[in-house]
Amino acid sequence: MNRLRQALDPFLLLLIATVALASLLPARGQGARIAEGVADAGIVLLFFLHGAKLSRKAIWDGARAWRLHGATLATTFLLFPAMGWLLSRFGPVPDAMRAGLLFLTLLPSTVQSSIAFTAIARGNVAAAVVSASFSNLLGIVLTPLLVALLMQRSGGGSLVSLSAVEAIVAQLLLPFAVGHMLRPWIGAFIERHRAMIGRVDRGSILLVVYAAFSAAVVEGLWRKVSQGELLALVALSVAMLSAILLCTYGLGRLIGLSREDAIVLQFCGSKKSLASGVPIAGVLFPAAAVGPILLPVMIFHQIQLMACAWLARRYGARPLEEASLAPAE
């Protein structure tokens, strides 16, 4: 029971509660327009804070350990998307989940949990900070590009329109750049109030989730998605995560990474960011489509946390002598 409590992410419980609230009391009419406006403001604030939190040193250091960071980025933005595209086109994926499953695989890696699990597993924490941060930075640009390249409307053509590109610049790139440029003046404040900033981050995401699922519920989301389809999505998420963990394990050995760096590759290369996925989906897709698209992201998020928490404890429990002599993992 204690292990279950440790594995469950408290923020995920808040997300579930937000989805339940949107399902029971969805925003409608003028309320929906107000909710979408507040959610848009939350996205701007979220990426402004992301820019302010990311140090310039982390950006420049991203180019140094080229084998590790290159392998992590290749796993995140090449291997994962290829797997998602194949599954969405040819796999046993419920029709209502295909777009969401593919979108999940196009997201950048997580930051906080990747670093935390690397520390528990006694991996290279400094490299994990750089690798996860670099992935999130590139994801602001690469994820929308991959969506434009790989995700198609049912009638043909890309899901990303000119207005979506303008929204990406206005709500993601510009706030991020402004926040980063202001870091010399506000960086110390951000560092001193990390707990408060974290609550603001999470609050912004909850706002976007409520607005997205409200629109989806009004459009009949829960009439379109059955319990069987949700169970199928859980099974696919477990299979996909297992495959990625095996691939990152093998890739670390293949390119000769040290044990500490191979752990970074496994934890940064195998996970997808809910914190980035929610606002990016809110910008890229129509309001009614965001809810179904985010369902696979939310399910995969909890599965990756439970699996990687177990894996990190397993690595970290090894005796120091065994860990230091163990082959790359």
Side-chain angles (χ1 to χ4, degrees):
M1 184 63 69
N2 288 335
R3 288 189 177 183
L4 179 61
R5 289 196 192 100
Q6 293 172 2
L8 284 172
D9 180 9
F11 181 55
L12 185 82
L13 299 179
L14 288 175
L15 282 169
I16 293 172
T18 302
V19 172
L21 177 63
S23 300
L24 295 172
L25 297 171
R28 301 174 183 270
Q30 183 64 25
R33 287 188 286 274
I34 293 173
E36 289 176 17
V38 173
D40 288 345
I43 291 171
V44 171
L45 177 60
L46 185 67
F47 276 83
F48 174 83
L49 293 174
H50 280 331
K53 285 189 292 186
L54 183 60
S55 69
R56 203 151 301 170
K57 183 178 183 300
I59 297 174
W60 294 123
D61 284 351
R64 292 187 180 179
W66 62 270
R67 282 193 307 161
L68 170 59
H69 302 314
T72 302
L73 292 174
T75 302
T76 302
F77 294 114
L78 292 177
L79 179 59
F80 241 128
M83 183 183 300
W85 184 82
L86 288 172
L87 277 175
S88 67
R89 290 291 299 272
F90 307 109
V93 183
D95 290 340
M97 303 290 185
R98 290 184 186 276
L101 189 72
L102 178 54
F103 177 70
L104 158 69
T105 64
L106 309 182
L107 295 173
S109 178
T110 63
V111 178
Q112 289 91 342
S113 60
S114 294
I115 296 167
F117 290 144
T118 298
I120 293 169
R122 292 183 298 187
N124 188 339
V125 175
V129 172
V130 173
S131 199
S133 300
F134 206 49
S135 174
N136 263 250
L137 176 62
L138 289 178
I140 298 174
V141 175
L142 289 183
T143 295
L145 287 177
L146 288 170
V147 168
L149 179 65
L150 298 177
M151 297 184 70
Q152 304 291 318
R153 290 193 179 94
S154 58
S158 172
L159 278 170
V160 178
S161 63
L162 178 60
S163 61
V165 173
E166 293 172 350
I168 291 166
V169 174
Q171 292 182 249
L172 305 186
L173 293 178
L174 185 58
F176 184 93
V178 171
H180 189 65
M181 287 189 293
L182 292 178
R183 180 176 168 79
W185 294 277
I186 65 175
F189 175 86
I190 296 289
E191 293 298 326
R192 286 197 306 271
H193 298 87
R194 274 194 170 269
M196 180 189 72
I197 299 301
R199 287 191 288 270
V200 173
D201 278 357
R202 287 166 173 77
S204 300
I205 292 170
L206 292 175
L207 284 171
V208 177
V209 168
Y210 176 74
F213 274 87
S214 288
V217 168
V218 170
E219 292 292 323
L221 169 64
W222 300 123
R223 294 193 300 272
K224 300 175 183 176
V225 178
S226 67
Q227 291 182 351
E229 289 174 329
L230 287 175
L231 290 175
L233 181 60
V234 170
L236 282 167
S237 296
V238 170
M240 190 161 58
L241 180 61
S242 300
I244 284 292
L245 286 171
L246 286 173
C247 288
T248 51
Y249 173 87
L251 182 58
R253 295 175 67 89
L254 180 65
I255 63 178
L257 294 179
S258 68
R259 176 190 182 276
E260 291 76 13
D261 284 354
I263 284 173
V264 176
L265 173 58
Q266 259 205 315
F267 288 128
C268 292
S270 64
K271 299 212 302 305
K272 291 296 182 177
S273 175
L274 177 69
S276 295
V278 170
I280 290 175
V283 170
L284 290 179
F285 304 112
V290 174
I293 283 174
L294 286 180
L295 266 179
V297 182
M298 294 174 63
I299 290 172
F300 187 86
H301 174 80
Q302 185 59 38
I303 291 172
Q304 73 184 9
L305 286 181
M306 291 190 289
C308 291
W310 173 83
L311 193 60
R313 286 194 293 267
R314 180 174 176 269
Y315 285 160
R318 291 180 176 178
L320 288 174
E321 293 83 2
E322 180 186 344
S324 63
L325 296 174
E329 302 188 20

